[in-house]
Amino acid sequence: PDYGNLAGYYRLISKVPDPLNLVTFDAALFPLNGFTPDLAITSVPGRLVNMTTNQENTAPLPYISAKDGDWETVGNTTWLRPSVWDDPNSNGISGTPIDWNIVVTNHNIDSGDKDITVLGLKSESKTLYIEDPTATIPIEDNAGQMLRVTHYLRLDGNIDLVGESQLLQDDGSILDEDSIGWLERDQQGTLSSFNYNYWTAPVSSQGPGPNNSGFTVKNIMWDGTNADSPLPINYQPGYPAADGAKTNPIIKSDYWIFKFANKKADDYDSWQHIGSTGFLKTGEGHTMKGVSGVDGVAAIAQKQNYVYKGKPNNGDITLTIDKQKNYLVGNPYPSAIDSEKFILDNLNPATVTGGTNTRNIFDGTLYFWDHFSGATHILREYIGGYAVLNLFGEGVPAIATDDRINSTGEVGKTPKQFIPVSQGFFVNSSELVNKDGVVIFAPDGGQITFKNSQRFFERESANNSIFLKPETLIKTGKEEAKIIVPKIRVSFKSPKGYLRQLLVGAHPSTTNGFDLGYDAPMIEYNVEDMYWLQGGNSLVIQGVPDFGKDQVLPLGIRIEKEGEFKIKIDTLENMNNDHNIYLKDITLDTIHDIRSGPYISTSAPGEITQRFQLVFHKESQQDPIVDEPIIDEPIIDDNTEISILHSYTENEMMVLNPQELLISAIYLFDMNGKLLSVFEDVPSEREIRLKVANFSEGVYVLKMHTDTEIVTRKIIIKN
């Protein structure tokens, strides 16, 4: 170098020969006074604060492992020069962990009770274990730790993400393509050989070459029954191959591994069989069933551990979806991803506040398959459905299609904001069309994009099984201010026992029309169901601007079997205790305080779209039952001279119709709105006698449909 052009040059060595042979400095003389020599032509010795003695000439560039051990040890003996430097990622002078260290490992090192962040990591050999030292048995239930690499990773050795441990790489962080090592990560699916989970892989096939190169299930997934010693899975042909007792190693049916890649929605024939050896692009999802049929329904709640081994996926990952298509995709990283960031990265800011894309790639909703029950391979007998998630951050569970699933009357698992490792889900680019055939919204299609900026360290809760698990936030940075959104979860139990939960939230970014990312269309048809009605659209999640007195939220229900159904509030979030919520029954002309208890009624089979509304204000004139009745004496209406008598001994009601009005039908309800009797082909006579059952004492309502109006009467039956 041309030292004449240097303003200052401090080499920090003990003896410094002058390259121009002008002067030779003995640095040992300078630290005694707190200075170090400057080798520039015009020298200004440097001041070394708090350093007055000769120091060994070292710098941790990089930190290099010295022997097997914990990342942090007493005396720092895991790393070279332990007497000079603190452990990598230890606290700096500010008291916060240093996140710009570069580390080289050639030994078996355990993270210990520490989340680790480094600027660069070169794993040259052996294994870096990321785990919580207070490990539980089995080890796949270990709470885990975070490994974060902000800039560069070279993986020629191995990284074992034990339990819930995860690897994060920042946006722009590089994984060296020449890496030949592997990353290992566990995930659990159902044990039952009759039931599906939707999967994808957090790794690609191992070896040097392009990153995110894709995978076959056979190459990257192992039997993790013993997570310390994973075994190759024994794939067998035929749909019942795994229906026997669990084996060692496990047997898995090759028959049930399918993908659904950019195919027409609602076309079951578009499922493509790939088996264990079929190629999948990074980020593509696939189906897979469990490994034992012996326990039948009970095996669904039990889990089978699998081990992924391969080159970790990193950076931008894209898959192309055309218009009017569905794509089974999944979280492709060895860490959780934030569903909100993923959705916004695929939506246009001109349509959705916070969007970052130039197009609306899909409809802003994610659909997760949840297979509840049923020890069968017959499609029509599957008991399951799609849980739904959008920008509200916590979605709704799948419809429970059989009341035997949960005798407590609760529905299935609820997807949360953060999507776990390997979780598969559907995105949908189909047009949304109203009842008149008018297109309300049409996604553009394009490149579905996953990014490192969507990655977060989020543990899965141990309270729920398989993927759709509540998440506990582990703070890895500054949290953004969140809008407080009032939410109402309403559930429906149908006559045949179907259980459906709906969600509506009041968000300032929404309207009473269709709002991309906040309104979630229903993509499945069930013979009995409930849904929000929005201009003819059927929704399972709806966003509205407020829950004010003028807000009206129509509900549709579908019934196949005549009988009793129930509508109730499951939960309220961020709602005042005095905020009124009512269910309006237009047919019965009644308003029920649904906060006080469920609404129970009946209906004839069919699609019922003009009967129910969720409202937030109750006008007095809307309640037709205002007067106290006189027992067994006529109740005279001011406009229509129709009255009612009841005889308990004769089990009979008498309708007095002096004007002989034409009455098309008479309906008898209890005070909960439950339909008890229907009388049709009513004669146009002055006295109409109706045989009724021996009902218990109480107040009842009779609704009579005349040729000009609906007449409501109330009567007390007393035994």
Side-chain angles (χ1 to χ4, degrees):
D2 186 352
Y3 288 90
N5 293 328
L6 289 176
Y9 180 36
Y10 304 92
R11 290 187 62 188
L12 297 178
I13 59 177
S14 293
K15 289 187 179 293
V16 186
D18 181 358
L20 300 181
N21 295 317
L22 298 178
V23 179
T24 297
F25 288 93
D26 186 347
L29 299 177
F30 287 91
L32 294 176
N33 299 310
F35 290 93
T36 188
D38 175 7
L39 298 188
I41 297 299
T42 304
S43 64
V44 179
R47 174 76 173 176
L48 298 176
V49 179
N50 298 325
M51 187 181 295
T52 59
T53 61
N54 245 348
Q55 302 295 314
E56 187 177 356
N57 182 29
T58 67
L61 298 173
Y63 279 91
I64 299 174
S65 67
K67 66 176 185 177
D68 295 351
D70 290 338
W71 187 279
E72 289 186 332
T73 59
V74 177
N76 314 324
T77 56
T78 301
W79 308 99
L80 289 178
R81 303 191 183 279
S83 62
V84 179
W85 301 109
D86 293 334
D87 300 312
N89 196 213
S90 57
N91 290 345
I93 193 170
S94 66
T96 58
I98 295 170
D99 60 5
W100 39 263
N101 294 142
I102 300 171
V103 178
V104 175
T105 61
N106 285 283
H107 297 84
N108 294 319
I109 298 175
D110 197 300
S111 65
D113 188 15
K114 178 180 177 61
D115 291 333
I116 296 171
T117 299
V118 294
L119 183 147
L121 173 63
K122 290 183 68 178
S123 171
E124 294 185 340
S125 64
K126 299 192 176 180
T127 301
L128 174 59
Y129 296 93
I130 307 299
E131 61 181 329
D132 187 328
T134 59
T136 59
I137 302 299
I139 65 172
E140 62 264 22
D141 292 329
N142 186 288
Q145 305 290 158
M146 176 189 71
L147 172 62
R148 176 180 166 218
V149 181
T150 63
H151 286 72
Y152 175 82
L153 172 62
R154 172 70 180 248
L155 186 59
D156 292 335
N158 309 312
I159 297 174
D160 189 351
L161 299 176
V162 179
E164 293 299 321
S165 297
Q166 295 167 40
L167 167 65
L168 272 66
Q169 290 194 251
D170 287 15
D171 210 21
S173 179
I174 296 170
L175 171 65
D176 196 312
E177 288 192 341
D178 290 333
S179 297
I180 60 173
W182 50 256
L183 176 138
E184 180 177 314
R185 176 54 153 85
D186 293 356
Q187 188 54 282
Q188 299 80 47
T190 179
L191 179 70
S192 172
S193 64
F194 298 105
N195 293 76
Y196 283 117
N197 294 127
Y198 284 177
W199 300 80
T200 192
V203 298
S204 293
S205 297
Q206 186 177 345
N211 294 334
N212 310 325
S213 59
F215 64 98
T216 68
V217 176
K218 188 172 185 177
N219 282 348
I220 50 85
M221 179 176 274
W222 296 65
D223 175 2
T225 302
N226 181 350
D228 279 330
S229 301
L231 299 172
I233 296 172
N234 182 6
Y235 293 95
Q236 294 290 329
Y239 70 87
D243 291 352
K246 181 178 174 179
T247 58
N248 183 30
I250 56 174
I251 292 174
K252 186 169 286 291
S253 171
D254 217 60
Y255 182 89
W256 296 113
I257 304 176
F258 287 81
K259 70 176 182 178
F260 198 103
N262 194 32
K263 298 295 183 180
K264 183 178 178 182
D266 303 322
D267 183 0
Y268 195 81
D269 291 337
S270 292
W271 284 99
Q272 180 182 351
H273 181 256
I274 57 170
S276 60
T277 58
F279 178 76
L280 289 130
K281 299 176 183 177
T282 298
E284 284 188 331
H286 65 89
T287 65
M288 191 174 68
K289 290 189 176 184
V291 299
S292 175
V294 172
D295 293 326
V297 174
I300 296 167
Q302 300 177 48
K303 61 185 181 181
Q304 169 62 42
N305 188 58
Y306 301 95
V307 174
Y308 284 103
K309 291 179 68 174
K311 192 176 183 181
N313 296 323
N314 178 61
D316 288 1
I317 295 167
T318 60
L319 298 166
T320 300
I321 185 171
D322 299 325
K323 294 182 178 181
Q324 297 284 81
K325 299 295 173 63
N326 280 184
Y327 212 136
L328 178 56
V329 299
N331 173 9
Y333 301 115
S335 68
I337 61 171
D338 184 341
S339 65
E340 180 177 327
K341 290 182 178 292
F342 170 72
I343 292 171
L344 290 174
D345 282 341
N346 288 280
L347 298 181
N348 190 330
T351 310
V352 180
T353 301
T356 66
N357 208 302
T358 58
R359 302 162 65 92
N360 292 312
I361 306 301
F362 57 91
D363 66 6
T365 302
L366 313 181
Y367 299 91
F368 301 82
W369 174 253
D370 195 4
H371 205 155
F372 304 112
S373 185
T376 179
H377 292 301
I378 301 174
L379 174 63
R380 65 177 178 271
E381 295 181 8
Y382 284 173
I383 300 174
Y386 285 95
V388 182
L389 181 67
N390 63 9
L391 290 177
F392 277 115
E394 180 174 337
V396 293
I399 185 171
T401 53
D402 192 318
D403 193 34
R404 294 168 297 176
I405 297 163
N406 191 331
S407 60
T408 66
E410 298 179 359
V411 289
K413 298 184 286 287
T414 301
K416 304 286 183 174
Q417 179 178 351
F418 296 94
I419 303 173
V421 175
S422 302
Q423 172 69 67
F425 55 88
F426 264 111
V427 295
N428 178 20
S429 65
S430 297
E431 294 177 343
L432 188 66
V433 181
N434 69 11
K435 62 181 179 179
D436 299 318
V438 177
V439 176
I440 302 299
F441 175 75
D444 301 313
Q447 287 192 334
I448 305 164
T449 303
F450 297 90
K451 298 181 177 181
N452 276 359
S453 57
Q454 300 163 10
R455 296 167 71 170
F456 277 77
F457 178 36
E458 301 292 335
R459 293 184 175 98
E460 300 173 38
S461 166
N463 295 325
N464 285 324
S465 62
I466 317 353
F467 296 127
L468 303 185
K469 305 172 184 176
E471 305 291 347
T472 302
L473 178 62
I474 305 300
K475 298 178 182 178
T476 57
K478 294 182 179 179
E479 294 185 79
E480 299 177 1
K482 293 291 185 180
I483 297 172
I484 302 301
V485 179
K487 297 178 184 178
I488 304 171
R489 296 179 183 274
V490 182
S491 70
F492 169 72
K493 181 176 181 180
S494 78
K496 295 183 73 172
Y498 284 53
L499 301 172
R500 163 70 77 183
Q501 186 186 91
L502 303 179
L503 169 64
V504 60
H507 195 287
S509 297
T510 64
T511 67
N512 280 333
F514 182 78
D515 299 297
L516 183 63
Y518 295 96
D519 292 333
M522 179 176 284
I523 64 167
E524 57 188 328
Y525 181 91
N526 296 289
V527 295
E528 294 192 328
D529 215 334
M530 182 173 75
Y531 45 87
W532 299 114
L533 272 168
Q534 184 197 76
N537 304 321
S538 300
L539 308 175
V540 290
I541 302 177
Q542 182 175 200
V544 295
D546 59 68
F547 293 142
K549 291 184 177 181
D550 296 329
Q551 186 64 264
V552 177
L553 304 176
L555 285 160
I557 63 173
R558 183 182 303 124
I559 290 177
E560 184 181 60
K561 174 185 176 183
E562 183 170 354
E564 181 179 282
F565 62 84
K566 180 188 297 183
I567 301 173
K568 70 182 184 75
I569 289 178
D570 278 343
T571 61
L572 299 174
E573 301 170 37
N574 305 318
M575 299 282 290
N576 294 330
N577 292 333
D578 58 353
H579 200 122
N580 295 322
I581 308 173
Y582 302 101
L583 185 73
K584 182 176 181 180
D585 189 329
I586 299 171
T587 300
L588 300 185
D589 196 20
T590 60
I591 294 183
H592 173 71
D593 181 359
I594 199 167
R595 291 192 72 156
S596 66
Y599 183 80
I600 302 172
S601 189
T602 60
S603 175
E607 200 87 14
I608 302 161
T609 59
Q610 302 293 327
R611 180 174 174 181
F612 296 111
Q613 297 172 337
L614 206 65
V615 297
F616 303 88
H617 180 61
K618 178 179 180 181
E619 298 180 2
S620 58
Q621 64 266 28
Q622 290 177 311
D623 190 344
I625 305 171
V626 295
D627 297 323
E628 287 297 323
I630 301 174
I631 298 175
D632 291 345
E633 292 187 9
I635 303 173
I636 307 299
D637 188 275
D638 292 338
N639 301 316
T640 304
E641 293 183 359
I642 292 180
S643 55
I644 304 168
L645 296 172
H646 173 258
S647 172
Y648 172 73
T649 58
E650 299 294 332
N651 286 338
E652 188 175 79
M653 283 188 179
M654 179 184 293
V655 179
L656 302 180
N657 180 19
Q659 298 177 7
E660 297 187 3
L661 298 175
L662 178 62
I663 301 175
S664 59
I666 299 176
Y667 301 89
L668 176 65
F669 299 89
D670 65 17
M671 290 299 289
N672 285 323
K674 180 180 179 180
L675 180 62
L676 303 176
S677 300
V678 179
F679 306 95
E680 297 176 327
D681 300 323
V682 179
S684 298
E685 299 174 352
R686 290 177 179 271
E687 295 182 1
I688 304 170
R689 295 178 181 271
L690 307 172
K691 285 292 184 181
V692 294
N694 185 15
F695 295 118
S696 59
E697 290 187 356
V699 181
Y700 295 82
V701 177
L702 225 62
K703 293 181 72 74
M704 291 160 282
H705 292 240
T706 74
D707 54 352
T708 59
E709 61 183 325
I710 298 176
V711 180
T712 303
R713 292 290 181 267
K714 183 172 66 172
I715 191 168
I716 294 178
I717 294 178
K718 187 173 182 180
N719 297 346

